[in-house]
Amino acid sequence: MTNRAPSPPYPEQGRATLLRLMDDVMAATAIPDFSRVEEVLATMSGIIAETGVDLPDLAARIEFLKGENAKAKCHSENTDAALWAGDHVRAEALYRTGSLLKQDALHDETNQLADAMRDLGEAPMRPSASAYPIERRMLKADLSNPHEDTLSTAALLGADPFADLAAGLPEAVNDLLLSGADLNTPAGPYEYTALLAALDAPGRNAKTLDRLIAAGADPSGTHPLGDNALTWAMGYRHLDTVTGQSERTLIAYLADKGADPNHKVPGYLTAIQRALFEAGSDQVAALFAAGADLPEAFPVDFQPEKLASATGLMVAAPKPDVLAILLAEGADPNQQDVLGRTATDFLTMEVEAAWGRVDEADPWTLDHAEALEISLGMLERHPG
């Protein structure tokens, strides 16, 4: 008996399958899940080739959609890379000026393709915006206060007696002390105390903190949502206005006055974890000098998603000088995350991905890839 190759599916079968897959594409672009879009579009291309489904420009439209999805995916990954590296200005700019535009264009093209497929039969249902909410990224405000969305309406509308202090105005401390305001009562849109407001100020320094503490500010107090002075200080946005030495002095001063270097914000990060993600080598070194322990694994729901449950070495990788401090403090290169990966395993994949995103018109992407490769080399050479 002669074996016969199976007959290809009829075009009608292809039409029905494509309509079902179009639902998946629309849902995935609305979330967005770029990898899922890529997977489903590849399947659709295969069905078109195999079944001979006839619709003008269908194959070309799918190829265009693949290209738009690849651009949006790359943009999203670059945004995550900026967050990972602690470059908040770049991350916010990428998110605000590009990611949503590319995502909207991708979703619009998907809807246009769905409309064109009406000629094949019943068109897929368009998901509503509420059915597939766009993933919310960590923007500047989120990074400086991870619980900002939970602040009370009264707090958001309330007056801020510490606004000038947070802005770093020259006479802010004098004016505040003369006003008689309670330095330890949380106030303003961020519900901070005077000490926490001073830690947000451009050019912050231990001298200002000392004046506030001498006037009654509590250095061991906590924010209503859990930060102490040191965890709050690690979300600083004006590192270009301070020096490494002034930061080391400030952190040592806070620890000496009673701020716990191992304090953990409930459900979020310790001071050293936040420093790895948002600060730099001066802050990390100063925390260790103040008695901070090696970082535990990051939360399972941490964003960007690739850092969920990550080890400290994984998070520090875009900053080789920070990674070197962790290794010197005894961080274990063989520690595994919940997926069983060591920092070397994780970085091997991330280095390859980073080099794949290098853009000659964007030098930052080259610097990022080189930094990851330096960190990978350090891990591979480490005797542990």
Side-chain angles (χ1 to χ4, degrees), residues 293-330:
D293 297 329
L294 285 168
E296 58 190 64
F298 276 60
V300 295
D301 57 351
F302 192 74
Q303 293 292 330
E305 185 177 356
K306 67 182 172 185
L307 298 182
S309 301
T311 68
L313 289 171
M314 293 174 182
V315 176
K319 307 165 188 172
D321 54 346
V322 173
L323 185 133
I325 293 172
L326 283 181
L327 291 174
E329 291 290 334

Side-chain angles (χ1 to χ4, degrees), residues 161 204 284:
R204 68 182 183 181
V284 171

Side-chain angles (χ1 to χ4, degrees), residues 351-384:
V351 165
E352 181 179 357
W355 281 113
R357 295 194 306 273
V358 168
D359 181 354
E360 292 183 0
D362 184 0
W364 192 98
T365 59
L366 175 60
D367 292 342
H368 179 65
E370 289 178 340
L372 293 183
E373 188 147 7
I374 290 170
S375 290
L376 177 59
M378 293 169 62
L379 290 170
E380 291 173 337
R381 293 189 300 270
H382 191 72

Side-chain angles (χ1 to χ4, degrees), residues 75 78-79 82-83 87-101 138-140:
H75 194 94
N78 280 334
T79 305
L83 284 171
D87 191 335
H88 315 296
V89 173
R90 175 180 170 86
E92 187 174 356
L94 285 172
Y95 178 79
R96 293 191 184 282
T97 63
S99 180
L100 289 178
L101 294 176
M138 294 176 69
L139 300 181
K140 180 178 179 181

